[in-house]
Structures are given as structure tokens and as C-alpha cells.
Amino acid sequence: MKNKLHIGVLALQGDFAEHIQKLQGLGCSTTEIRLADQLNNIDGLIIPGGESTTNAKLEAAVGKTPIFDAITKTAKQGLPIWGTCMGSILLAKDIEGSIQGRIGLMDITVRRNAFGPQRASAEILLSIPVIGEKIFPGIFIRAPLFIKAAKSVEVLSSIEEGFVMAREGNLLATAFHPEMTEDDRVHKYFLSIAREK
Ligand code: GLN
């Protein structure tokens, strides 16, 4: 088992700095990922919150090799990848009613901005049995909702309208932002997946 994990955080746009701070607080070393060859030698990748349409446009502009293709390749080799909010949208195979660019690896359907502008930002108390009994404060910011999943997907947390956390093998998605709370149990859960590798 690895002692010190080295985790990459996609840093095209969005709240990558908050993830990096959290990861360093948990004893990981980190790299801001902008180019395809930076994906070598990391134990896991986080795709942060931000704006999915902007990231889809930026990805082709940043390096010679589009980073989304390289992420797909390393994911297929088993790299653990966790998408938070926008990151979950980029990971989803299906974005309801949209043909916007994506990485498209996880067999879920997401509905963007599902909580509407009137609830653009809210804290919802979540039950996430896989991290323990204690309720987790879920921060939702113009968040998506997961509305469909293939059988291969394990739903890890649900609310009335749909589900908000799911895992499919080496892929993890949260509609909310665990990097914005004091509670570090979802980060620890992802690190446990990275350690399994
Ligand atoms: N609404 C954004 C999108 O659709 C996601 C918001 C977020 O990541 N906080 O890309």
C-alpha cells in the first residue's frame, strides 16, 4: 500500500485550488494538470467544479494533445477519477438535452443546473453511508442532478429528486462540492479508491 499519494487536479478553470489545499491537508502531494503528459505518475485525478462549457472549449486550446482524450485513455487503464459538480458533468456520458463537449466516461445521465437559479447555492444535508453514519453537509452551487444510471453504477447518495453521488469502478462523481466544507470524509473516500490501485 502506498504511503504518500500523488493526486492531480485538472486546472483549466474552476475551484482546483480548494481541492489542492484539502489534498495537501490530508498528506498528499499534488499537481495542477493542464497538459496530457502530466497524467503520467499520478495516483488519482480530480476534475473540480467550474463551468463545463468553458472547460470543454479550453481543453483543445491548452496543449497539443487535447487533455480530455488523454484523461479517457488513462481512465481506461484504471486511473481513479473523481468529478465534483462540473467535473461530474464532464464525466457523464449523457448530459440531458445537450451536445456540449465532455469526457463522457461514466454511464450516468446528468441534468445541468437542476436546482434552478432560485436555489443556485444551497446546503443540503446528505446521507452517504459509504463514508459513515454522520450526515455530510453537501454544498450545491448551480449544481447538476444525476437522473439515470446504468446497472454498473453504484448510487452512493440520493435526495428526493434524484441522486447526487455515484461510483462506477474507478470513477466517482459528486454533484456537490466537498472541497468547500471542513468535513474531509469524501476526499478520504476518494483517496481510499486511489490507494486500491
Ligand atoms: N453549472 C455548472 C455547469 O453546468 C456547474 C457548476 C459548478 O461546478 N459549481 O457546468
Side-chain angles (χ1 to χ4, degrees), residues 5-10 19 22-23 26 28-30 42-47 78-84 91 128 130-131 156 165-174 178 184-197:
L5 291 170
H6 186 56
I7 305 292
V9 184
L10 187 67
H19 275 293
K22 199 90 169 167
L23 291 165
L26 290 169
C28 301
S29 57
T30 56
I42 55 172
D43 300 306
L45 174 71
I46 295 180
I47 305 175
L79 182 75
I81 304 184
W82 172 23
T84 59
L91 277 185
I128 310 176
V130 81
I131 61 163
L156 300 177
M165 179 168 173
R167 178 177 176 181
E168 186 177 28
N170 55 322
L171 306 174
L172 181 68
T174 56
D184 55 17
R185 287 177 295 154
V186 180
H187 281 79
K188 282 184 175 154
Y189 176 66
F190 178 65
L191 296 180
S192 76
I193 298 174
R195 221 168 252 122
E196 283 167 18
K197 291 305 302 167

Side-chain angles (χ1 to χ4, degrees), residues 33-178:
I33 305 284
R34 295 192 179 86
L35 298 171
D37 60 9
Q38 293 177 304
L39 292 170
N40 303 325
N41 307 318
I42 55 172
D43 300 306
L45 174 71
I46 295 180
I47 305 175
E51 174 50 48
S52 55
T53 52
T54 306
N55 275 261
K57 282 187 192 130
L58 279 177
E59 77 102 10
V62 171
K64 279 202 179 106
T65 315
I67 186 81
F68 285 5
D69 287 351
I71 291 174
T72 301
K73 206 169 127 209
T74 38
K76 289 193 169 146
Q77 291 162 355
L79 182 75
I81 304 184
W82 172 23
T84 59
C85 200
M86 170 202 82
S88 70
I89 297 168
L90 291 179
L91 277 185
K93 281 192 180 164
D94 188 28
I95 304 171
E96 191 185 44
S98 169
I99 54 156
Q100 71 185 66
R102 69 201 69 174
I103 301 167
L105 287 167
M106 204 171 165
D107 226 333
I108 56 173
T109 300
V110 303
R111 176 177 294 155
R112 290 181 62 209
N113 303 316
F115 298 86
Q118 77 282 8
R119 283 176 67 198
S121 180
E123 183 177 297
I124 303 177
L125 300 177
L126 301 172
S127 160
I128 310 176
V130 81
I131 61 163
E133 262 176 39
K134 207 175 108 200
I135 290 302
F136 188 88
I139 311 273
F140 289 78
I141 303 170
R142 291 181 301 111
L145 185 69
F146 308 155
I147 54 172
K148 257 191 254 163
K151 283 210 176 74
S152 49
V153 175
E154 199 186 341
V155 172
L156 300 177
S157 184
S158 298
I159 57 173
E160 225 171 272
E161 301 86 342
F163 58 106
V164 293
M165 179 168 173
R167 178 177 176 181
E168 186 177 28
N170 55 322
L171 306 174
L172 181 68
T174 56
F176 52 98
H177 288 272

